[in-house]
Amino acid sequence: MGFNNPPMTWRALEQTLSASKKAAAAAELPSSRKRGPYQVPTVQRPTSTVPYAELHAHSSFSFLDGASGPAELAVEAERLGLEALALTDHDGLYGVVRFAEAAEQLTVRTVFGAELSLDLPAPQAGQPDPVGEHLVVLAIGEEGYHRLAGAITAAQLAGGEKGRPVYHREQLAAQADGHWAVLTGCRKGAVRQALAADGAAGARRALADLRHLFGDDRVWVELIDHGNPTDSVDNDALAAVAAEVGLPTIATGNVHYATPAQHPLAQAVAAVRANRSLDALDGWLPAAGTAFLRSGEEMAARFARYPGAVART
């Protein structure tokens, strides 16, 4: 209704809209509420690959943090010959339907997970570098999926406002009850934060906390290489601590977009999230556009100094 439209009661408005719906139905127009099944584009899977599963990937359902749709990620994973792909969007399982629909037509297998945001004091929209501690969780089987969905739902309700889920670590451990695999995550993960603050001793303490909560056989030390100046040093330290305490390492891409060509889009999305121009956000942006999906061959070469980290995925 525009500025110059005559007044209309709610009843008259409802009748007008209902009449429009009936007219559309009579004309057999498609309903805007329904969409057809997703059809993946033709993609050629390599015949020979190094086995690798990407276990940490964000889609556009990580609101303003991922730049590719779930189906795009699945199709690119197929083109690269990946064994499996995990969708780990922030605090939700919103993209899993489209992800599963696409993967059903492909060879690549699906893993459902989420990156949980702990200790949020408030919604983080408009922040160039959102606060909080991240915990990457992968559901083990159908039971793990149901438990993860329930944990996220409870946290979103407990927060009382959009964008601020409230998790409690001991409660998460009880909700998991052995049905989740837990990765140490990115720089916002407890282990990497402890490594940056207190070195190897801090990382050991953070790993001990995760083992206590989720079990010795449910925690994996995540190695990430985006080409940042400290990536090799941090990975060396984490690999050494993992070997010392007897935990396995895995390599991930901490993926935020499917292909290198989508890096500019990812930067624009980050600027929108932070409510800043690209120039103003420049100091917070990643040093390089490296958060894309890679093949097993690429990952094996990138993590050659950490035997087993790629194969273990």
Side-chain angles (χ1 to χ4, degrees):
M1 300 176 70
F3 288 110
N4 299 317
N5 286 344
M8 179 181 286
T9 65
W10 284 111
R11 181 176 179 81
L13 177 61
E14 191 276 334
Q15 290 175 338
T16 301
L17 295 176
S18 296
S20 298
K21 291 178 183 177
K22 292 176 182 177
E28 296 185 347
L29 296 176
S31 172
S32 61
R33 295 184 179 182
K34 298 180 180 179
R35 57 174 174 79
Y38 180 77
Q39 296 295 323
V40 301
T42 301
V43 57
Q44 182 66 44
R45 185 178 177 87
T47 56
S48 178
T49 62
V50 172
Y52 173 63
E54 178 54 67
L55 298 179
H56 187 170
H58 296 279
S59 77
S60 52
F61 284 90
S62 282
F63 186 57
L64 298 181
D65 192 40
S68 302
E72 288 181 272
L73 290 167
V75 169
E76 181 63 9
E78 180 80 358
R79 190 188 70 81
L80 294 170
L82 301 191
E83 299 289 316
L85 174 66
L87 194 64
T88 55
D89 284 319
H90 291 295
D91 303 299
L93 299 166
Y94 317 105
V96 299
V97 173
R98 203 57 148 175
F99 181 49
E101 285 180 345
E104 190 175 22
Q105 304 170 59
L106 304 168
T107 302
V108 64
R109 290 173 289 176
T110 55
V111 179
F112 301 135
E115 187 165 19
L116 309 182
S117 304
L118 284 60
D119 302 327
L120 294 181
Q124 296 298 294
Q127 300 299 318
D129 188 17
V131 301
E133 178 186 305
H134 292 178
L135 180 69
V136 179
V137 171
L138 305 178
I140 299 175
E142 184 178 352
E143 179 68 18
Y145 177 85
H146 289 309
R147 288 173 175 268
L148 179 56
I152 293 172
T153 299
Q156 296 285 10
L157 291 172
E161 55 185 325
K162 184 177 180 180
R164 184 182 174 256
V166 174
Y167 302 97
H168 302 284
R169 290 166 178 77
E170 295 289 346
Q171 186 177 353
L172 284 173
Q175 289 165 321
D177 194 26
H179 293 278
W180 299 346
V182 173
L183 313 186
T184 55
C186 62
R187 68 184 179 91
K188 294 295 183 72
V191 175
R192 284 183 178 264
Q193 287 186 340
L195 178 69
D198 299 312
R204 279 193 292 271
R205 288 193 296 270
L207 278 173
D209 290 341
L210 288 177
R211 296 173 79 173
H212 169 72
L213 289 169
F214 298 101
D216 290 344
D217 60 345
R218 289 294 180 262
V219 178
W220 280 261
V221 178
E222 186 174 350
L223 307 180
I224 300 168
D225 185 354
H226 280 176
N228 295 320
T230 63
D231 280 354
S232 293
V233 173
D234 290 345
N235 285 336
D236 286 349
L238 290 172
V241 170
E244 179 184 338
V245 302
L247 286 178
T249 58
I250 61 165
T252 82
N254 188 16
V255 170
H256 285 71
Y257 40 95
T259 66
Q262 292 177 318
H263 175 231
L265 174 60
Q267 289 183 303
V269 164
V272 173
R273 182 188 70 232
N275 196 25
R276 285 166 167 79
S277 68
L278 282 170
D279 287 341
L281 192 65
D282 186 60
W284 283 281
L285 291 172
T290 52
F292 53 85
L293 281 170
R294 289 184 170 83
S295 67
E297 288 88 345
E298 291 176 286
M299 292 297 286
R302 204 170 186 86
F303 291 90
R305 64 198 291 170
Y306 311 108
V310 169
R312 206 170 283 121
T313 65

